[in-house]
Amino acid sequence: MARRAPRCSKNIAKRGAVAKKRMTGDKQSFIETLKNNRSFCSIVNAVALSERCSFFLLSSKTPLSTNAALEYLKTSVEGLTGEEIELALYRPKYGSGYKEMIEDTIRPLLDRDMGSFGHTLYALDFTSFADTPNETVVVFQRLNELRNAIVQRLDGSLVVIAPFGMEREFALRAPDMWSVRCGVCMMEAALVESVDMPTFAESPKAQT
């Protein structure tokens, strides 16, 4: 029997709604923009339905925005599927060159011990590297080159978070991955100060 498509909450699924263009320090206000973002809603549904390694692209303005979005994505998917999932977040240390960025993000995907499919959501976060685009695009290229090896290894969906405004660069530098994307969301709203929310340490190791 085919899997029935899970439905987003009423607020998430509101037709025609888009993220508001605003900077905020309030987590709840930021989450509301995600609930009203059709692209983000589609990603929630696609991750919940996925039965293979699916790829998604987010663009974010701040690491705090990324943290909140991934936390909300995880809990939303768990709510739709009724199953707990692990969030494995790989974030390079700020100021790293492209070699270190590759070692801190792509390499762990190839080395990680995988579990049964559907219990892990993988995320590579490059939000902090908007001011070093020349380094970041090299990582995008390497990610594209290793796409097949990554797909064969992963037991869950992969989300790449690019710096806001670098979506076109990703499409140009990683055309193979771009061609198989299952969803794209540009998060125009942004968290700009610390709030009461989990904050993942910047570390080569996955944050779970």
Side-chain angles (χ1 to χ4, degrees):
M1 180 181 295
R3 294 180 65 180
R4 185 176 181 181
R7 299 182 64 183
C8 291
S9 68
K10 186 174 181 180
N11 284 336
I12 298 178
K14 184 178 179 182
R15 296 179 61 86
V18 295
K20 297 179 181 179
K21 296 181 179 180
R22 62 182 178 182
M23 306 292 280
T24 178
D26 177 34
K27 177 184 176 182
Q28 190 56 44
S29 296
F30 177 76
I31 294 300
E32 286 301 315
T33 68
L34 297 181
K35 290 181 178 181
N36 292 322
N37 188 314
R38 292 180 63 190
S39 296
F40 196 88
C41 172
S42 296
I43 290 176
V44 170
N45 279 334
V47 172
L49 281 171
S50 181
E51 295 181 346
R52 58 182 177 82
C53 178
S54 300
F55 166 64
F56 304 89
L57 179 69
L58 298 180
S59 63
S60 176
K61 294 179 178 178
T62 69
L64 286 174
S65 304
T66 300
N67 289 347
L70 291 175
E71 178 193 6
Y72 180 66
L73 175 60
K74 177 181 182 293
T75 56
S76 296
V77 171
E78 289 175 335
L80 291 172
T81 63
E83 299 179 354
E84 185 176 352
I85 62 173
E86 173 191 0
L87 173 60
L89 171 60
Y90 299 92
R91 172 179 288 158
K93 295 178 181 178
Y94 181 75
S96 297
Y98 73 86
K99 292 182 179 179
E100 292 79 13
M101 293 169 69
I102 291 171
E103 286 299 311
D104 290 351
T105 56
I106 300 175
R107 177 52 54 186
L109 296 183
L110 302 175
D111 294 341
R112 184 178 168 90
D113 292 329
M114 306 303 175
S116 58
F117 184 84
H119 293 279
T120 307
L121 175 64
Y122 298 92
L124 309 183
D125 179 26
F126 303 103
T127 308
S128 299
F129 292 85
D131 56 347
T132 55
N134 292 336
E135 303 284 335
T136 306
V137 296
V138 174
V139 182
F140 291 166
Q141 290 172 333
R142 187 60 175 155
L143 187 63
N144 191 67
E145 293 168 359
L146 293 171
R147 178 179 68 89
N148 290 335
I150 291 172
V151 168
Q152 292 172 3
R153 288 286 294 153
L154 295 192
D155 60 333
S157 296
L158 172 64
V159 180
V160 172
I161 304 95
F164 191 85
M166 289 195 68
E167 305 85 5
R168 179 175 174 79
E169 282 297 326
F170 185 91
L172 292 173
R173 306 289 181 159
D176 295 332
M177 293 202 70
W178 179 259
S179 69
V180 297
R181 69 194 185 281
C182 295
V184 177
C185 179
M186 298 171 60
M187 298 188 295
E188 296 182 352
L191 281 167
V192 294
E193 61 185 52
S194 297
V195 292
D196 184 17
M197 58 179 289
T199 300
F200 301 100
E202 295 185 356
S203 169
K205 296 181 180 180
Q207 304 300 314
T208 59

